Amino acid sequence: MTALVAQSFNIKGIVQGVGFRPWIFQLAKRFQLTGHVLNDGQGVSILVQGPEMALTGFRAALDTERPPLCRIDELTVSHAQVQDLQDFTIAHSSAGQAAAIVTVGSDKSSCDACLAEIRDPNNRHFGYPFTNCTHCGPRYTIIRNLPYDRHNTAMAGFALCDACRQAYEDPMDRRYHAQPVSCPKCGPELTLRGAGGEILAKREQALAQTIALIEQGKILAIKGLGGFHLICDAGNHDAVTELRRRKCRPAKPLALMMPSIEFAKQYAEGSSAEWQLLSSQERPIVLMAKKQHQADAPALSSAIAPDIDRLGLFLPYTPLHTLLLDGLQRPLVATSANRSGEPIITDGDEVLQQLGKSPLAVVDAILDHNRPIINGCDDSVVQMLDDELQVLRLARGYAPLSLPSKSLASMNIVSKSLVSMNTASKSLANKDSGDNSSNKLPSLLAVGPQQKNTLALNIGNQLYLSPHIGDLFSVEAEGYFERTLQSFQRLYRFEPEAIIRDKHPDYASSRWAERQNARQLEVQHHFAHLLAVMAANDYSGKVLGFSFDGTGLGDDNQLWGGELLLADCQGFQRLATLSPMTLLGGEQAIREPWRLLYSLLLQNHGIEELQQLAVFAAEPAAKLTNLGKLANSGIGPKSHSIGRLFDAAAALLANLRLSQYEGQAGIILETLARRAIAAGKQQRVEKLGLELKLEHELEPTNTRAELVLGQWQSAPLFSALLLAWRTEPDSELLALAFIQAIGKGIITAALKARNWLKAEGIDELPLVLSGGVFQSRLLSEYCHRELARLEFHRLKPGLVPVNDGGIALGQLWYGLHQPGLTQSLAER
């Protein structure tokens, strides 16, 4: 008789609610093992016994197969006592285990099996817009509490019919314990309502009439997984322009939902990696290159992405969207349903209240359903840099993002009290990071920045980054911020022992933090950008980091945004910065980029000379004279922002006088530069000699003495740009030259920093590129290639947004490495 061996497996990660236990059940049956599997407080526990060869095969399958939505972060195996077991079972969690704290999965798009069912007239799910299984469908957006059981979700009010219950209770069925499982007999249903709230149709007729209304050029609000979209026919120019008018969105590009990959390829060009990303189960909005219109493809409205060469495309990600696009067979505009600048709307009555009432009515009708959205979640936005994924908006499909930290794993996950905080030294040139391995981790909350806000928190060594919340410039946005926080507190029974926030006192997130009783810790904005990438790599050593964005309060109370920092988890040293420019008119200069251009040129040119330029012709001479005097007086806020340089360049090269949405200048410059590349103008760039030089001033002031590598000189760059413009006003060539000048400035600084560090006796350090400026695809790809050629090691951000959407994670990473926020085991 073959000897039996028993083993116990403890598995952590995304292993609950994703079909993991039934897969283990099927695996055990395949290898003829006995034992059991159950959910526990940390994840999943498995006991298996059988012949040693069978256990070896079982273990190998654990490593090589797995359900599609499962993620194993930690797997431990130990020997167990052989027992008298006759079968393999799925054990029910005990009452204590039912309170497990586990990672909440993100929502995923429909799997192929479910899509086949809704298209099969002989299947009971035919045409059913809420079909799902353990391999797909909603997770985060429907969960109210943990554990992830049906009564804790938005499906609590829908009793299973006999057929659905049979599938739900069968371990061999892919719907085993799929909490949102339902069918036309027992599940949610569609309702089409007019802008006044009146019911127009239900169920299949609601979908049929929705399709008819879109074909008639109407604008509808349609409920998705995490909120409503505003939808219209992308080929109907009148409908698209009317949507822009109603939503007060004159220029910002609109996302397009395509019926299929084949449809998308008629309108966009991309690499194999981009097409794979578009069709991935996360179904993000992917920024791709526009394709010249093909005669056999239905035309898109020119108002979708005016004056730029990119389209934001995504594919249907729910059965409802699939059925809608199957019926229409045309691209749709699908943008978040909200008023401009407000968070996405998740409730049908709120859509009617905000978007359905005259005289400001945005929608003609809404397609609603009766499955509540518990947690709002917008669409993710991504792009590919060569073959590297860059997340611009972390949301559906990716968020909540959970990052297990192995470097923090040795710390206990619960802290009972806090000790006093110590102020960290900024000078890091000859200092090593401290070792916190003997300390326990507190539970911390990081509340993020003002724009592109997200939240971050930790449960022990598991770090969580929330979905995109947005810009906190309104009461509604602040309310969405608080609701998101409440969701995480409810799910993880989380109460922060300390709150980490930005140093800017007027951010809404900072003001919220100040109102709380928990201890506070501040982190400088651009330092947090670098820390976010460090957290994404589970790295706590020193880095050399470029932090380039539009704004952020620096330690000297000036506006930073063009920084080269030597940093670790304790603090940073500022090695270089962009030379300051005066913001003529304060924040008005950010909205009107010509003011930034004027400020930069005034450093080397006279007022009378500049008044003759066409870019300033629309402004009265007296106004330009007064602004010139203001600039020469040295009075007014100063900015060190690389992002503002992009604004100024767009003012000169594209006559961008009024910025209509964030990042518009960078998008326009990239469009012009790509046209230059397509026309073969790269060889002419070097002859222009544009440079962003890094050098010291002759007499540095005390406040700049710390800048051991100096300042990037922006005024000479713009004088050279103006001279080139006067000589040869080729906006495409000059846009490419400008972006490459920024890139060369980065590479030159990296080389200078490498030499300085070597002279200081510091080993080669990893590089970090972070901040919204690095959303420029051309700039980032140029830097990535050059840094690789020069053999720099770069830490990649992974799924963490390179823009302000990652700031909260950086704040959290800082807090978790402060000795003052931990308490040694010996002190307890």
Side-chain angles (χ1 to χ4, degrees):
M1 181 176 178
T2 305
L4 296 181
V5 178
Q7 288 183 336
S8 175
F9 293 79
N10 290 294
I11 302 176
K12 299 178 183 178
I14 301 177
V15 289
Q16 294 190 17
V18 292
F20 190 74
R21 288 183 301 161
W23 176 70
I24 293 293
F25 178 88
Q26 295 166 28
L27 206 60
K29 293 291 186 182
R30 187 205 308 176
F31 289 100
Q32 298 181 344
L33 300 172
T34 59
H36 60 255
V37 59
L38 75 157
N39 289 340
D40 65 18
Q42 300 299 317
V44 167
S45 293
I46 307 167
L47 174 69
V48 287
Q49 67 180 35
E52 187 170 357
M53 185 176 294
L55 262 66
T56 300
F58 177 85
R59 172 60 194 272
L62 271 178
D63 292 333
T64 58
E65 298 182 26
R66 304 178 187 175
L69 302 187
C70 152
R71 189 190 79 197
I72 294 179
D73 296 331
E74 183 179 331
L75 187 155
T76 57
V77 187
S78 58
H79 291 290
Q81 187 71 36
V82 174
Q83 303 175 35
D84 183 17
L85 300 173
Q86 303 301 316
D87 202 354
F88 192 90
T89 60
I90 297 177
H92 292 289
S93 302
S94 68
Q97 292 163 337
I101 295 177
V102 295
T103 298
V104 175
S106 57
D107 299 55
K108 300 297 183 181
S109 64
S110 301
C111 68
D112 290 342
C114 285
L115 292 180
E117 289 177 342
I118 67 172
R119 289 166 170 156
D120 180 2
N122 298 315
N123 191 282
R124 68 190 184 91
H125 294 96
F126 176 64
Y128 183 57
F130 306 97
T131 302
N132 66 87
C133 68
T134 54
H135 300 160
C136 66
R139 294 293 190 279
Y140 169 72
T141 55
I142 65 166
I143 190 167
R144 197 183 307 274
N145 267 308
L146 287 171
Y148 181 60
D149 292 330
R150 192 176 180 95
H151 67 271
N152 284 330
T153 73
M155 295 298 295
F158 299 94
L160 291 167
C161 67
D162 291 343
C164 285
R165 179 164 295 282
Q166 182 178 355
Y168 182 84
E169 295 177 349
D170 181 0
M172 303 304 290
D173 195 292
R174 77 177 199 279
R175 291 193 168 91
Y176 177 78
H177 280 207
Q179 305 307 336
V181 67
S182 62
C183 73
K185 289 184 178 180
C186 62
E189 63 179 32
L190 297 175
T191 301
L192 179 66
R193 293 197 279 174
E198 68 279 12
I199 295 176
L200 302 178
K202 287 198 170 190
R203 299 174 72 90
E204 295 85 353
Q205 284 303 309
L207 181 62
Q209 289 192 33
T210 295
I211 291 172
L213 289 171
I214 293 172
E215 290 175 333
Q216 295 167 23
K218 302 299 183 182
I219 298 168
L220 276 80
I222 296 181
K223 194 173 186 178
L225 283 180
F228 281 81
H229 284 118
L230 295 178
I231 283 180
C232 70
D233 180 356
N236 187 323
H237 185 69
D238 290 340
V240 176
T241 54
E242 180 64 10
L243 173 59
R244 285 197 175 279
R245 185 193 70 81
R246 293 183 187 182
K247 200 181 176 186
C248 301
R249 185 172 171 170
K252 189 175 181 180
L254 297 166
L256 295 176
M257 188 178 285
M258 291 286 173
S260 64
I261 283 281
E262 292 70 30
F263 247 95
K265 287 183 176 180
Q266 297 180 83
Y267 302 98
E269 297 176 323
S271 65
S272 59
E274 286 175 314
W275 292 118
Q276 288 172 15
L277 183 59
L278 187 71
S279 58
S280 68
Q281 204 167 9
E282 288 75 20
R283 287 290 197 274
I285 297 172
V286 183
L287 303 186
M288 302 182 72
K290 276 183 183 177
K291 195 174 189 176
Q292 277 197 324
H293 177 62
Q294 298 176 318
D296 57 343
L300 297 177
S301 166
S302 59
I304 287 169
D307 303 320
I308 64 174
D309 66 346
R310 297 270 137 176
L311 290 173
L313 306 182
F314 63 138
L315 296 181
Y317 58 86
T318 71
L320 173 57
H321 293 117
T322 299
L323 294 167
L324 183 68
L325 270 296
D326 281 358
L328 285 162
Q329 286 300 301
R330 69 187 72 188
L332 298 178
V333 168
T335 186
S336 300
N338 54 10
R339 293 182 298 202
S340 185
E342 301 293 348
I344 190 169
I345 300 175
T346 60
D347 178 75
D349 290 336
E350 189 176 350
V351 171
L352 292 172
Q353 180 69 26
Q354 291 194 26
L355 306 180
K357 289 188 175 181
S358 298
L360 302 175
V362 176
V363 299
D364 297 308
I366 72 168
L367 183 62
D368 201 353
H369 59 72
N370 58 340
R371 185 179 71 195
I373 296 174
I374 307 298
N375 305 302
C377 194
D378 219 317
D379 296 314
S380 290
V381 181
V382 304
Q383 65 179 354
M384 295 299 295
L385 307 178
D386 291 327
D387 287 334
E388 181 180 328
L389 172 65
Q390 185 183 71
V391 175
L392 307 180
R393 184 167 72 196
L394 182 78
R396 177 187 49 75
Y398 299 110
L401 179 64
S402 62
L403 298 169
S405 169
K406 291 183 179 179
S407 70
L408 299 176
S410 61
M411 299 183 182
N412 198 307
I413 66 168
V414 179
S415 174
K416 296 179 181 177
S417 62
L418 297 174
V419 295
S420 61
M421 301 183 193
N422 299 318
T423 303
S425 168
K426 286 186 180 180
S427 180
L428 304 175
N430 296 293
K431 178 173 69 62
D432 289 328
S433 297
D435 179 9
N436 291 336
S437 60
S438 63
N439 294 339
K440 289 187 176 182
L441 287 175
S443 295
L444 305 181
L445 169 67
V447 295
Q450 180 77 357
Q451 294 178 276
K452 298 181 177 66
N453 182 269
T454 55
L455 297 167
L457 57 91
N458 72 295
I459 306 293
N461 69 303
Q462 189 78 233
L463 316 182
Y464 297 95
L465 184 61
S466 79
H468 169 83
I469 294 172
D471 299 344
L472 304 181
F473 290 118
S474 67
V475 172
E476 289 81 4
E478 291 184 34
Y480 191 56
F481 166 93
E482 294 194 9
R483 289 194 299 275
T484 303
L485 174 57
Q486 289 164 7
S487 291
F488 277 86
Q489 288 179 312
R490 184 177 64 247
L491 289 171
Y492 292 113
R493 298 137 173 101
F494 174 82
E495 286 299 329
E497 298 174 71
I499 297 174
I500 325 295
R501 65 174 180 84
D502 194 277
K503 278 196 169 182
H504 200 303
D506 294 329
Y507 283 178
S509 53
S510 297
R511 294 197 306 268
W512 179 90
E514 286 290 336
R515 296 194 297 268
Q516 311 309 307
N517 292 325
R519 189 167 296 188
Q520 309 283 304
L521 191 64
E522 298 176 349
V523 184
Q524 198 278 328
H525 187 93
H526 301 93
F527 178 31
H529 268 306
L530 306 185
L531 289 160
V533 180
M534 293 164 67
N537 289 272
D538 198 11
Y539 180 83
S540 56
K542 295 185 182 70
V543 299
L544 192 64
F546 293 85
S547 191
F548 286 6
D549 62 6
T551 191
L553 186 66
D555 282 347
D556 58 1
N557 286 321
Q558 289 196 5
L559 298 175
W560 293 5
E563 316 307 320
L564 173 55
L565 307 178
L566 173 64
D568 67 10
C569 289
Q570 302 303 315
F572 66 90
Q573 182 179 352
R574 197 181 185 203
L575 302 184
T577 189
L578 182 69
S579 58
M581 69 190 87
T582 301
L583 298 180
L584 298 175
E587 291 189 5
Q588 194 170 0
I590 299 172
R591 295 189 295 271
E592 299 177 5
W594 66 266
R595 292 172 178 263
L596 298 166
L597 176 64
Y598 192 52
S599 174
L600 287 163
L601 292 176
L602 279 169
Q603 296 183 45
N604 289 315
H605 301 267
I607 296 173
E608 294 77 11
E609 176 191 355
L610 296 180
Q611 286 179 343
Q612 306 307 311
L613 297 178
V615 67
F616 304 122
E619 303 303 325
K623 181 178 180 179
L624 293 175
T625 298
N626 290 335
L627 288 175
K629 291 178 180 179
L630 177 64
N632 292 332
S633 73
I635 300 173
K638 303 293 190 296
S639 171
H640 296 263
S641 167
I642 297 287
R644 300 285 81 86
L645 293 191
F646 277 77
D647 293 342
L652 177 64
L653 303 180
N655 196 30
L656 181 65
R657 298 188 51 76
L658 179 66
S659 184
Q660 295 174 298
Y661 58 90
E662 186 187 8
Q664 184 178 15
I667 293 173
I668 290 174
L669 289 176
E670 285 228 16
T671 297
L672 293 171
R674 276 190 283 264
R675 289 174 184 164
I677 294 172
K681 299 178 182 180
Q682 300 98 310
Q683 300 302 318
R684 295 163 56 193
V685 169
E686 291 297 330
K687 297 178 182 178
L688 295 173
L690 293 187
E691 292 183 90
L692 182 62
K693 292 182 178 179
L694 178 62
E695 57 188 31
H696 285 284
E697 293 181 335
L698 292 177
E699 298 179 359
T701 64
N702 290 334
T703 57
R704 295 170 185 168
E706 65 170 341
L707 302 172
V708 296
L709 298 182
Q711 297 184 49
W712 286 285
Q713 302 299 313
S714 54
L717 170 63
F718 273 79
S719 288
L721 191 63
L722 177 60
L723 177 61
W725 176 253
R726 284 171 161 168
T727 305
E728 186 179 7
D730 185 335
S731 59
E732 296 173 0
L733 173 65
L734 293 178
L736 178 60
F738 170 79
I739 291 174
Q740 289 197 4
I742 302 296
K744 289 176 182 177
I746 292 169
I747 302 303
T748 300
L751 290 169
K752 286 186 175 182
R754 172 188 268 176
N755 293 334
W756 176 78
L757 290 169
K758 186 176 181 180
E760 293 289 319
I762 301 176
D763 293 336
E764 186 94 0
L765 297 179
L767 244 61
V768 171
L769 307 180
S770 191
V773 166
F774 290 105
Q775 294 175 132
S776 168
R777 184 170 176 171
L778 283 180
L779 175 64
S780 285
E781 288 178 342
Y782 175 87
C783 291
H784 294 176
R785 293 166 189 167
E786 286 298 298
L787 291 172
R789 182 181 66 82
L790 295 166
E791 298 184 338
F792 282 94
H793 171 54
R794 178 175 58 88
L795 298 181
K796 300 178 182 180
L799 293 178
V800 177
V802 73
N803 55 37
D804 281 9
I807 288 281
L809 183 65
Q811 294 170 342
L812 179 65
W813 195 241
Y814 177 76
L816 287 169
H817 287 84
Q818 299 314 298
L821 284 179
T822 58
Q823 181 181 19
S824 70
L825 294 174
E827 292 175 315
R828 296 188 179 191

